[in-house]
Amino acid sequence: MILVSGATGQLGRATVHHLTRLGAKDKLAVLARDPSKAGDYAAQGIDVRQGDFDKPAELGRAFAGIDTLFFVSAAAPNRSEQQPAVVDAAKAAGVRNIVYTGVAMRDVASAATAKEMIAHIHTEDHIRASGLGHTLLRNTIYADVIPQFAGPALLGEGIRLPVGDGKAAFALRDELGEAAARVLLNDQHTGQTYQLTGPQAVSFGDIADALSDITGRPIPFHDIAPSVLAQQLKAFGVDDYMAGLILGTLEDIRSGQYDIVTDDLQTLLGRPPLALKTLLGAVIPELSAHEPSN
């Protein structure tokens, strides 16, 4: 039996979709802190289990009868303490394998976001020390966030970010979910660590150029000061924690932390991940009115 955590989140939903598509619905359960948000799963006949990572002592019932836990890393400030406790609860409940989603970065310890990202290293270390079978999926930045930064470019404003020429090998969340599903259904991946990235590292200048080609009009990229974006985020009501994470992530892109390209995602999918222009079309619906130029 496979239990997918974070099942009401976007990566969790993508993974469940592909597990179901690949014929695994009958050996699938999902974990939700609020089961009322998982009603669509229950309607499909999927076992919905209630569980809160902040209450690891109560997770035993949710983990009962589970062989493999798909552990989607939590977006919580306290995850350095929270996630190892989840691993302990899984082991105590008899879970035999954990597939964990971390982050593909060059050096987490030196990253601008190190305080947030170091939790991945702590969790990976704890999983290894637990003696459980495990597979570590280190995911690149989701291409799905590109519209949050590049969407205004379609309104004529260009892309304005404090990121310089830094590059990242963006990948579609749906493809990362499919790769996770394929790992969960094949125990040959046990003991492996995968760096899951797109096929090419690109800058936001490259993204602006691609948008220009697709739309047929010039879309510029402007490298702005971090303080300018910080003021904009505050004006939009973004809380301090999230604003710091956004600014830190952009600084990590600038410094090359996400400039990593591997063929691991292609290997797991059995096909190349989407290339840049196709990727942009998948995440920016407004582009559907334009035909990409060659």
Side-chain angles (χ1 to χ4, degrees):
M1 210 49 190
I2 297 167
L3 178 65
V4 175
S5 77
T8 58
Q10 292 168 314
L11 180 61
R13 284 194 176 278
T15 304
V16 171
H17 166 73
H18 287 289
L19 284 169
T20 302
R21 182 179 64 81
L22 293 169
K25 187 173 78 169
D26 291 343
K27 54 181 179 181
L28 171 65
V30 299
L31 184 71
R33 183 168 55 184
D34 181 357
S36 69
K37 295 181 179 180
D40 56 323
Y41 293 133
Q44 297 175 59
I46 295 174
D47 182 11
V48 177
R49 303 188 179 195
Q50 194 278 331
D52 186 341
F53 283 177
D54 283 325
K55 300 176 181 179
E58 300 177 10
L59 288 173
R61 181 166 54 186
F63 291 160
I66 298 300
D67 298 307
T68 299
L69 169 65
F70 180 50
F71 189 175
V72 178
S73 54
N78 67 330
R79 63 185 177 184
S80 280
E81 299 78 31
Q82 178 196 68
Q83 294 187 163
V86 173
V87 174
D88 292 342
K91 182 176 181 178
V95 173
R96 295 185 298 175
N97 297 284
I98 292 180
V99 176
Y100 174 74
T101 63
V103 61
M105 297 180 73
R106 289 189 177 276
D107 180 12
V108 169
S110 66
T113 53
K115 183 178 179 181
E116 289 79 16
M117 297 303 176
I118 202 70
H120 292 302
I121 302 303
H122 290 164
T123 303
E124 288 182 355
D125 287 345
H126 200 78
I127 290 171
R128 292 189 193 94
S130 73
L132 295 174
H134 60 272
T135 308
L136 306 178
L137 304 180
R138 295 176 176 172
N139 291 343
T140 188
I141 299 177
Y142 300 138
D144 308 71
V145 306
I146 291 176
Q148 298 174 29
F149 301 115
L154 301 180
L155 303 177
E157 301 175 16
I159 300 175
R160 307 176 65 86
L161 291 173
V163 73
D165 295 326
K167 296 184 176 183
F170 297 97
L172 195 65
R173 187 186 281 113
D174 184 71
E175 291 187 321
L176 293 167
E178 180 180 345
R182 294 186 180 279
V183 166
L184 288 163
L185 295 175
N186 188 339
D187 59 12
Q188 292 181 359
H189 299 291
T190 302
Q192 300 298 313
T193 297
Y194 296 111
Q195 305 267 19
L196 301 183
T197 77
Q200 178 186 13
V202 298
S203 67
F204 276 93
D206 295 326
I207 291 172
D209 289 343
L211 290 174
S212 299
D213 288 345
I214 294 170
T215 61
R217 58 186 174 82
I219 294 177
F221 165 73
H222 304 282
D223 184 26
I224 62 174
S227 59
V228 173
L229 181 58
Q231 291 173 355
Q232 294 172 346
L233 293 172
K234 185 175 182 179
F236 284 130
V238 178
D239 65 62
D240 290 345
Y241 173 77
M242 185 55 63
L245 188 57
I246 291 170
L247 289 165
T249 297
L250 292 171
E251 175 56 32
D252 287 336
I253 294 175
R254 176 191 285 272
S255 67
Q257 285 282 1
Y258 289 99
D259 192 354
I260 302 171
V261 177
T262 77
D263 61 2
D264 288 351
L265 182 55
Q266 176 172 326
T267 298
L268 294 178
L269 292 176
R271 65 178 188 277
L274 296 184
L276 180 58
K277 288 184 181 179
T278 308
L279 191 65
L280 292 173
V283 299
I284 303 178
E286 294 86 344
L287 295 179
S288 62
H290 303 273
E291 288 292 332
S293 60
N294 294 323

